[in-house]
Structures are given as structure tokens and as C-alpha cells.
Amino acid sequence: MAIRKIIRMGHPSLRIPGKNVANEFIGSDTMQQLLVDMTDTLRDYGGVGLAAPQIDEPLRMAIIEVPGGPSRYGEIEAIPLTVFFNPVIEILNPEVAGYWEGCLSVPGLRGFVERPQHVLVRYTNQQGDPAELELKGFLATVVQHEFDHLDGRLYIDHIKDTTKLVFEEEWLKFAPQ
Ligand code: NI
């Protein structure tokens, strides 16, 4: 088990698009180790998703694990630990909704971001096979946030109203519930 350091906003690697992961690489020992490290790191830091560039690995891959259950946004559906290689998002409905997003690479802050709420993700799975996942609501936001990292983008790039970029402590105290 190896918990890797998550790089933070300001580190140039967060702004560089990742490279496609070759199919031959997916089943390799190096990849298996990287996935173990990413999973350990995500669980240690306590998040719902981690993209490879966040641990300074310039690859188009991310893991997502959403425990699900009740939240400030209502009941959230769970996503068991899932690995996405070379994901591409198709927006099925452009209608947006906003959430207060946080990011392990932008610790201590929250920002309100609006994104489309119905998407289809096409990706390569851990077996190296093509796969699809249709997601709505909060989970659609989660995948868009994670896959933005693969293009060198952060959630703060989407904030339209900078009065809605706040410290997490103050957010917990003052944000409308
Ligand atoms: Ni993030």
C-alpha cells in the first residue's frame, strides 16, 4: 500500500492534459500498482474521485468511488470503485444544475459550479474493454469534475460568480442549507 501525495493548485502538472492510456498498459503490473496506489490515496484523503494527474501521473485515467446515501443534495446513488481509462463524455441533456464542488487538489475551498446533469461516459474499463455509463444529477457532476483533470482543468475554471468561491469552514457555517 502506498499513499501518494496529491499535488495542489499551482503545481504546473495539474494544467497539462493527460496522455491516452494504451490498451497494452492497462493489464500491466505497473498499472495494477498505480491503481492500488490511487485507491489507497483516494481513501486516505477521503474523496469521491481521483484523476491520475492529481498524483502527477500524466495519464487519461481516473477512479471514482461514491459511497451514496443521504446528503445535502438529497439521496445520492452509490458508484462502487470504478476505473475509467480514456473517458469521453457526451452530454445527453444540456440542462444544468449547480453543486458546491471541492477538490483534493484545491484543499479547504468550495465553489459553486453548474454543469449538465445527464451524461453518457464512454471509456475503457479495467479489463481493457469498451464500456459505457449513463449518469444523472450529482454523479454527472462528479464525472465531469474528475475528467476535467485529464484536460488540465479545475472546477474553479467554471465558477461564474466568484462570490461563490469560499473556504470550506465558512461554507459549513454560512452557505444556505
Ligand atoms: Ni478535483
Side-chain angles (χ1 to χ4, degrees):
M1 149 159 186
I3 294 160
R4 304 272 294 262
K5 181 181 169 183
I6 296 182
I7 59 175
R8 305 199 301 175
M9 180 169 63
H11 191 302
S13 295
L14 284 174
R15 293 309 199 169
I16 299 170
K19 298 185 204 83
N20 269 318
V21 180
N23 243 42
E24 309 82 76
F25 188 28
I26 288 177
S28 69
D29 290 349
T30 309
M31 178 55 73
Q32 290 317 304
Q33 190 53 56
L34 178 56
L35 287 172
V36 170
D37 287 358
M38 284 180 69
T39 305
D40 291 345
T41 304
L42 176 64
R43 289 176 178 164
D44 184 73
Y45 276 77
V48 296
L50 183 69
Q54 292 183 275
I55 55 165
D56 208 4
E57 296 282 356
L59 297 168
R60 300 189 75 79
M61 56 180 284
I63 60 171
I64 289 175
E65 184 177 47
V66 181
S71 79
R72 62 186 285 122
Y73 302 119
E75 190 74 14
I76 290 173
E77 212 182 311
I79 300 185
L81 183 66
T82 306
V83 184
F84 297 86
F85 293 105
N86 310 324
V88 176
I89 289 181
E90 183 187 337
I91 292 164
L92 298 178
N93 181 345
E95 203 176 313
V96 298
Y99 296 94
W100 286 90
E101 297 188 21
C103 180
L104 296 174
S105 292
V106 191
L109 294 178
R110 289 278 176 155
F112 188 78
V113 176
E114 293 181 316
R115 302 184 191 261
Q117 294 296 290
H118 188 187
V119 300
L120 178 68
V121 181
R122 292 192 178 85
Y123 63 104
T124 301
N125 67 18
Q126 218 176 334
Q127 287 71 44
D129 298 321
E132 288 185 354
L133 189 60
E134 190 179 332
L135 295 168
K136 286 184 175 176
F138 177 75
L139 298 180
T141 279
V142 169
V143 290
Q144 289 172 83
H145 174 121
E146 290 314 321
F147 302 161
D148 263 357
H149 283 297
L150 311 183
D151 290 321
R153 279 195 298 268
L154 299 173
Y155 80 80
I156 56 158
D157 304 343
H158 297 288
I159 291 176
K160 291 194 187 112
D161 176 357
T162 53
T163 69
K164 291 183 176 170
L165 177 64
V166 302
F167 287 107
E168 193 156 35
E169 274 180 46
E170 278 70 9
W171 175 70
L172 289 168
K173 254 189 243 172
F174 300 117
Q177 295 300 309

